[in-house]
Amino acid sequence: MSVKADIDFQKELFEAANKMRGSVAPADYKHYVLPLIFLRYLSNKYEQRRKELEQIVKDPNSDWYMEDAEMQQVIISDPDQYKAENVFVVPEEASWSYIMKNAKQPNIKEILDNAMKRLEEENPELEGMLPRIYQGSNLPAENVAGLIEIFSRDVFSANTQESVDILGRTYEYFISSFASSEGNRGGEFFTPSSIVKLLVAMLEPKSGIVFDPACGSGGMFIQSEEYASNKHALSFYGQENVVTTVRLGKMNVLLHGINAEIRLGDSLLNDQFPDLKADYIIANPPFNQKDWGADRLSKKDPRLIGPVTNSNANYMWMQHFLYHLNDTGTAGFVMANGAMTTNVKEEKEVRQKLVDEGYIDCIVQLPEKLFFTTGIPCCLFFLSKNRDGKNGYRARKNEILFIDARKMGTLVSRKQKALSKEEIDKIAAVYHAYKYEEAEQYEDVAGFCKVATIEEVQENDYKLTPGIYVGTEVSDEDDTPFEEKMAELTQRLLEQFEESNRLQEKIKQDLEGLM
């Protein structure tokens, strides 16, 4: 199946599935559709392994060869024969053939809930992943039957070896399409693929630990695994704050044959991996979170290198990432543009420390409209602990690479842009030339990239906007998000009120002295 045919097929599939939505809210609908794809995947894997075992026990050259039919059945039914191959055991009443056979029964919603329950009972590792929500939903039974029919097409059949790959790609396409149709809310669980691909191409995760403390539906892990030439050379750890999103992420990584440990919890207030040190951190944390609970942090929190403010969590996320890097690790993450220049006292103090102490490796300013939200322009920050020149990295502790990619990207829809493979490769190549000892010689390119010294950044009041350094005009557009601008203006106003009160008191005292 060609890429174009693949996309056309998935688009048609998504449109067909969407017609079955009935009165279910778009934001909720994915929680009914995506588990069905996962169920089909589990069933296929089990069926394929079962067929393998049926052949093995009858093959005289196999270690598991048995003449006795009863003993053959013992081996074929042994759960360990499936678990050894990372295949989950699927009981009869959860198999796709059983669900398909009963799709038009009036109690199909109850049958699906029971299938989810039985899968969890047989496979404790799946606990909490499979929602039992069909029976209590307002999704009509005939619509559920329509969805089952969609995922019963021949292309998904367990008899087709590539069906597992097709199901993985379909799941990802559906996640992306749901995110797109949900707008702002979609950005909470899905990062557009061109941004993920750029982060991964720049970070080059080849072996070691990959950590994403805002992992959403797990796209960073899937892209990292695709990038690594040695499969299974990476270990994946993630944290996510929304139960239903954790479920989507766990299903997504399993569908792609990846074992990732994803835990539920608020990364900033309830770090589920306090001792984890990663080779790569790759993340798209929520932008400009306010009232996130700064007052609940201990002053002795080991992650803190500076103060925090409850008006915006951006710089707390940065401190969290830095803390979780090992001594040669690098973090690449998405940030709102305002983080490059914010003058909110606490945030600026942390930014100054990150610059002065030599942790900021690279800043990439991205084109607008890359996100479904279309609202907040964003950039990429790279923090690194290998800047003193070890393990093949160039000593660059007194430098920061700035890349201005605002002119890149092409519209893929009326509202959204994407970066092409060539653009991603061009940005990644510049970063690699800058950071590796053996790489091609790095050169500044006017209007695109520039290596600035930390002293230059300090002279520019610690502003990290690439346009200041690469020689292009800084956009006249004021792209500071409203929430951040408001926080800055409020803080400045309060400071001015304080100064006004101080001056009033002084004038009063001076007047009293004259009387």
Side-chain angles (χ1 to χ4, degrees):
M1 195 179 270
S2 71
V3 174
K4 170 124 180 34
D6 206 9
I7 288 167
D8 287 348
F9 154 71
Q10 287 160 352
K11 183 170 185 274
E12 180 227 321
L13 215 61
F14 183 76
E15 284 167 0
N18 228 13
K19 283 178 187 157
M20 304 291 162
R21 186 165 64 80
S23 60
V24 176
D28 297 328
Y29 190 50
K30 63 179 174 288
H31 301 302
Y32 297 100
V33 178
L34 295 171
L36 289 178
I37 301 176
F38 186 57
L39 201 63
R40 176 90 222 226
Y41 162 81
L42 294 179
S43 190
N44 279 15
K45 290 278 283 183
Y46 178 78
E47 212 176 303
Q48 287 169 353
R49 177 62 180 155
R50 192 177 176 89
K51 279 181 185 157
E52 256 177 46
L53 289 169
E54 284 167 356
Q55 288 170 345
I56 288 167
V57 293
K58 291 174 184 170
D59 179 1
N61 298 318
S62 156
D63 293 344
W64 294 102
Y65 173 65
M66 295 278 168
E67 283 186 12
D68 182 62
E70 212 170 291
M71 285 307 295
Q72 287 177 356
Q73 278 311 308
V74 168
I75 290 168
I76 290 166
S77 305
D78 179 4
D80 290 339
Q81 294 289 352
Y82 297 87
K83 288 172 183 172
E85 296 296 317
N86 288 324
V87 173
F88 294 97
V89 175
V90 178
E92 169 59 24
E93 60 271 40
S95 68
W96 195 261
S97 55
Y98 180 85
I99 286 162
M100 211 162 78
K101 193 168 69 189
N102 289 284
K104 292 195 162 56
Q105 295 296 329
N107 66 334
I108 183 58
K109 297 204 288 187
E110 185 187 342
I111 288 169
L112 279 178
D113 280 355
N114 186 53
M116 303 292 182
K117 178 170 172 276
R118 290 289 294 115
L119 278 164
E120 283 194 3
E121 285 170 355
E122 290 287 338
N123 307 280
E125 314 93 297
L126 294 176
E127 194 182 337
M129 279 177 61
L130 301 162
R132 297 196 273 282
I133 56 174
Y134 294 91
Q135 209 175 346
S137 76
N138 57 355
L139 201 57
E142 56 270 26
N143 293 33
V144 173
L147 283 172
I148 291 167
E149 197 178 311
I150 288 167
F151 300 120
S152 297
R153 294 183 184 193
D154 288 346
V155 72
F156 297 128
S157 164
N159 300 326
T160 321
Q161 207 50 47
E162 62 270 21
S163 69
V164 165
D165 287 339
I166 293 170
L167 282 162
R169 293 202 299 276
T170 301
Y171 188 96
E172 265 193 285
Y173 183 87
F174 270 49
I175 279 190
S176 161
S177 302
F178 279 126
S180 178
S181 63
E182 284 180 47
N184 283 8
R185 282 191 62 182
E188 290 172 13
F189 64 88
F190 182 82
T191 305
S193 64
S194 71
I195 298 178
V196 179
K197 284 176 180 170
L198 176 57
L199 277 168
V200 169
M202 291 179 77
L203 281 175
E204 299 180 290
K206 290 172 183 166
S207 65
I209 291 173
V210 177
F211 182 40
D212 181 354
C215 68
S217 51
M220 302 287 187
F221 297 149
I222 289 155
Q223 193 57 44
S224 297
E225 180 71 2
E226 277 181 24
Y227 185 90
S229 46
N230 295 333
K231 295 304 162 200
H232 309 300
L234 295 169
S235 307
F236 298 101
Y237 297 86
Q239 187 165 340
E240 173 55 50
N241 198 26
V242 181
V243 177
T244 48
T245 306
V246 169
R247 203 179 275 154
L248 296 182
K250 284 183 173 181
M251 286 192 277
N252 199 11
V253 294
L254 284 173
L255 265 160
H256 287 83
I258 297 169
N259 284 321
E261 189 166 342
I262 299 175
R263 295 182 186 170
L264 176 67
D266 183 318
S267 285
L268 301 186
L269 299 176
N270 185 16
D271 187 355
Q272 292 292 304
F273 298 95
D275 302 318
L276 179 73
K277 299 291 180 184
D279 298 278
Y280 312 96
I281 290 175
I282 176 165
N284 172 25
F287 293 169
N288 305 317
Q289 270 178 296
K290 57 180 178 180
D291 300 326
W292 58 273
D295 52 335
R296 288 162 57 192
L297 279 190
S298 160
K299 294 280 187 285
K300 292 180 180 170
D301 191 306
R303 298 171 296 174
L304 298 181
I305 63 166
V308 292
T309 170
N310 206 35
S311 65
N312 197 317
N314 289 348
Y315 274 86
M316 183 58 215
W317 278 109
M318 292 195 211
Q319 292 176 82
H320 183 72
F321 298 145
L322 187 69
Y323 172 77
H324 279 292
L325 286 176
N326 65 23
D327 60 1
T328 57
T330 302
F333 49 92
V334 190
M335 268 286 141
N337 274 1
M340 298 186 289
T341 56
T342 173
N343 279 318
V344 172
K345 183 173 165 290
E346 295 86 350
E347 294 179 294
K348 189 173 182 185
E349 200 173 310
V350 175
R351 186 168 82 242
Q352 287 173 329
K353 273 205 165 176
L354 291 171
V355 171
D356 292 342
E357 292 177 18
Y359 289 120
I360 294 186
D361 201 30
C362 174
I363 303 286
V364 183
Q365 191 163 1
L366 296 172
E368 59 176 11
K369 294 186 178 175
L370 286 183
F371 274 87
F372 301 121
T373 49
T374 68
I376 303 171
C378 61
C379 57
L380 304 181
F381 270 65
F382 290 83
L383 305 180
S384 186
K385 289 188 178 176
N386 58 42
R387 285 163 49 82
D388 47 2
K390 51 191 170 196
N391 294 4
Y393 293 104
R394 195 175 66 78
R396 57 198 191 284
K397 197 151 187 175
N398 192 44
E399 300 171 346
I400 297 174
L401 171 64
F402 290 98
I403 299 174
D404 188 344
R406 284 177 297 171
K407 292 189 172 74
M408 289 184 168
T410 48
L411 283 168
V412 289
S413 71
R414 197 168 51 81
K415 286 184 173 178
Q416 204 193 351
K417 279 185 177 180
L419 295 166
S420 67
K421 185 182 183 304
E422 293 70 31
E423 289 170 331
I424 288 167
D425 291 346
K426 182 180 178 183
I427 295 169
V430 167
Y431 184 48
H432 300 160
Y434 158 75
K435 73 175 177 176
Y436 290 125
E437 194 69 65
E438 298 300 315
E440 281 182 40
Q441 190 64 39
Y442 167 85
E443 284 180 21
D444 288 342
V445 177
F448 176 57
C449 61
K450 160 90 175 166
V451 172
T453 63
I454 282 177
E455 289 74 19
E456 285 177 76
V457 175
Q458 289 163 339
E459 284 163 16
N460 279 292
D461 195 28
Y462 293 87
K463 287 185 169 68
L464 298 175
T465 310
I468 295 170
Y469 305 95
V470 303
T472 57
E473 280 177 28
V474 182
S475 168
D476 292 335
E477 249 179 79
D478 185 358
D479 53 16
T480 308
F482 170 77
E483 296 91 338
E484 187 168 308
K485 192 186 295 177
M486 196 64 194
E488 283 193 40
L489 292 172
T490 304
Q491 178 147 338
R492 203 179 305 162
L493 188 62
L494 291 173
E495 284 167 6
Q496 286 169 349
F497 280 160
E498 277 177 34
E499 179 66 7
S500 165
N501 291 340
R502 193 185 64 75
L503 289 171
Q504 279 184 40
E505 281 303 311
K506 190 172 185 322
I507 292 165
K508 260 197 232 169
Q509 285 166 12
D510 289 347
L511 287 172
E512 281 168 11
L514 292 172
M515 287 167 74

